[in-house]
Amino acid sequence: MSTAEAGIASIGLQLPPLYMPVTELAELRNVDPDKYTKGLGCLDIALCPSGHDAATLAVGAAKRALSRWDGSIEDIGLIALGTESAKDMSRPLSAWVAEELGLSGTVRSYEVKHACYGGTLALRQALEWKWSGAGAKKAALVIASDVALYSVGDPGEPTQGAGAVAMIVDRPDAAAVSPISFPFSHPAFDFWRPVGDSFPSVDGQLSLDCYKNAVSECFRALIGGRDAREVLAEYRAICFHVPFPKMVKKSVIHLGEELGWSAQEAEELYRSKVEDALEWNQLSGNAYTASLWISVARALVGLKEGAPIAAFSYGSGYGAELLQLTAGPVAASAPWVSDVEEDLRARKPVDLWGYETLRGHARASA
Ligand code: HMG
């Protein structure tokens, strides 16, 4: 393989062992459940019990990605972990994961932070490391892993979630990624977590506006001077960062308005290219850095080799990037589906009491 051909060789996903339907949370908060299910488009919140965190999720996803790759741990020369659930201000979360995987030696190991955009940045850096030739014959292990919890009673509570996606950067068996991407950033305080705070602070309305503006800017750059309908029609699927599923729909409608489309045309774009890729996100909730990559993993399932998809990454603060991928030969059989099926089958529901106990624990241990 020439370094220019590097892409995503293998994918592994990990969801935590507990979940709660948002309708239960609605009962606890005395809110009409339709607000959470119809208003926000949410179904379940994936939850971590005591002893599970972003590091254990990352290890689980990495082991799965490694298990279906034809290389070995000695072939990994870089581990980059995108997260906003860091355990330490200095020690990178990648060190916890590398320790569990037995990964050490001539390996570059680090954590990447930019809110939900961190996983995408880690992937871009790993790809650029390979494309530049610096990675030589080594492969990279990239992981996006997060546990998203808001303070109890926060409007963001129904959007909580957790999950991890690991990707091995090597031959583009699962997906090729174009070196050409469309970044946009603009400093803002839309969502932030000051040092020492257990839970984020959010300016809800501003966060929606920042996200929609980033969508407009990135897609405008992708379209360039070309016909928007023709450009977007080329993609088999268009994936987005998913803070909550309705945000994605709102953004597609917003993009349609910016392009001068009718609401019906934008709805059709959403229905035909976007909606299906949200299936797993509705069951995980917001997994911050992992959210976009959960959606990309779902979108790749069953695609023919060469089928193009677009992937919009957003991280508060705020920074965004629109990536272009094409399905690799393994997407048709998509072995990573079994990760999600297995985790969904095994996970246990948490009732109101269980949730309150869990959050009490989360408050005490955060
Ligand atoms: P809220 O104030 O509780 O909700 O917070 P609302 O009153 O705006 O209602 C939400 C929707 O439900 C509305 O629909 C209501 O009409 C509807 P819309 O007008 O927007 O289409 N609704 C109902 N529908 C049916 N039946 C009912 C009913 N009642 C109301 N009975 C907010 C919503 C999103 C602000 C809150 O959940 C929040 O703060 N979330 C966290 C922030 C967030 O997710 N922002 C998204 C963009 S920023 C981002 O993506 C980055 C992030 O992932 C972090 C990172 O980068 O690290 C968050």
Side-chain angles (χ1 to χ4, degrees):
M1 182 194 68
S2 85
T3 52
E5 285 166 7
I8 302 169
S10 173
I11 298 175
L13 295 100
Q14 181 76 55
L15 299 179
L18 300 177
Y19 77 101
M20 182 168 76
V22 291
T23 48
E24 293 262 339
L25 180 68
E27 194 182 329
L28 189 65
R29 300 284 168 251
N30 205 16
V31 167
D32 181 348
D34 283 354
K35 175 173 180 182
Y36 295 168
T37 53
K38 297 197 173 109
L40 298 174
C42 301
L43 274 184
D44 293 338
I45 298 167
L47 291 163
C48 286
S50 170
H52 289 245
D53 59 16
T56 56
L57 289 170
V59 169
K63 284 185 173 166
R64 285 169 160 174
L66 287 162
S67 73
R68 52 178 73 107
W69 174 56
D70 59 8
S72 73
I73 199 82
E74 287 76 35
D75 299 321
I76 301 290
L78 184 153
I79 172 171
L81 204 155
T83 190
E84 53 182 300
S85 311
K87 280 169 171 293
D88 191 284
M89 289 293 291
S90 301
R91 191 178 200 255
L93 201 62
S94 60
W96 272 271
V97 178
E99 211 160 26
E100 282 295 317
L101 298 176
L103 179 60
S104 65
T106 49
V107 180
R108 187 179 285 168
S109 167
Y110 61 100
E111 181 182 302
V112 181
K113 181 183 75 179
H114 189 319
C116 302
Y117 180 28
T120 303
L121 284 168
L123 177 67
R124 290 296 310 183
Q125 289 175 340
L127 285 162
E128 287 161 13
W129 173 77
K130 280 298 287 179
W131 292 332
S132 72
K137 290 187 164 44
K138 294 280 185 172
L141 173 59
V142 174
I143 312 166
S145 182
D146 268 303
V147 176
L149 287 176
Y150 290 83
S151 53
V152 167
D154 187 278
E157 205 178 10
T159 73
Q160 294 173 145
V165 179
M167 293 170 274
I168 293 177
V169 171
D170 190 29
R171 271 197 324 266
D173 290 344
V177 184
S178 168
I180 298 165
S181 63
F182 303 92
F184 181 79
S185 69
H186 182 87
F189 272 98
D190 58 329
F191 167 108
W192 66 105
R193 181 152 73 91
V195 174
D197 283 11
S198 300
F199 304 112
S201 301
V202 190
D203 183 335
Q205 188 52 52
L206 178 64
S207 78
L208 308 188
D209 293 343
C210 292
Y211 184 110
K212 285 193 277 191
N213 191 49
V215 168
S216 302
E217 293 289 346
C218 292
F219 278 86
R220 196 179 302 147
L222 166 75
I223 292 162
R226 298 174 293 163
D227 181 309
R229 287 184 181 86
E230 278 178 23
V231 172
L232 297 177
E234 282 168 16
Y235 295 101
R236 184 66 180 70
I238 306 176
C239 301
F240 289 80
H241 164 56
V242 191
F244 55 94
K246 196 67 177 289
M247 181 75 236
V248 176
K249 186 166 187 186
K250 279 172 184 288
S251 300
V252 175
I253 303 294
H254 172 75
L255 179 63
E257 281 165 6
E258 296 263 301
L259 295 171
W261 293 9
S262 67
Q264 198 186 352
E265 193 171 7
E267 291 256 3
E268 177 52 24
L269 179 73
Y270 176 77
R271 201 200 50 73
S272 61
K273 310 235 179 235
V274 181
E275 191 172 31
D276 288 351
L278 301 176
E279 184 192 353
W280 293 345
N281 299 91
Q282 283 197 305
L283 302 169
S284 66
N286 191 358
Y288 291 158
T289 52
S291 282
L292 169 67
W293 298 101
I294 290 173
S295 182
V296 169
R298 175 65 189 82
L300 283 169
V301 177
L303 289 190
K304 274 204 206 121
E305 185 174 357
I309 67 174
F312 170 77
S313 185
Y314 177 84
S316 287
Y318 68 90
E321 191 158 342
L322 181 55
L323 272 55
Q324 307 171 92
L325 294 85
T326 47
V330 171
S333 59
W336 52 88
V337 172
S338 64
D339 300 345
V340 177
E341 286 177 348
E342 198 180 303
D343 290 347
L344 292 178
R345 238 189 342 264
R347 69 183 189 167
K348 303 268 184 300
V350 169
D351 63 13
L352 304 186
W353 292 107
Y355 178 70
E356 292 208 300
T357 309
L358 209 65
R359 292 310 309 265
H361 171 83
R363 278 199 299 278
S365 67

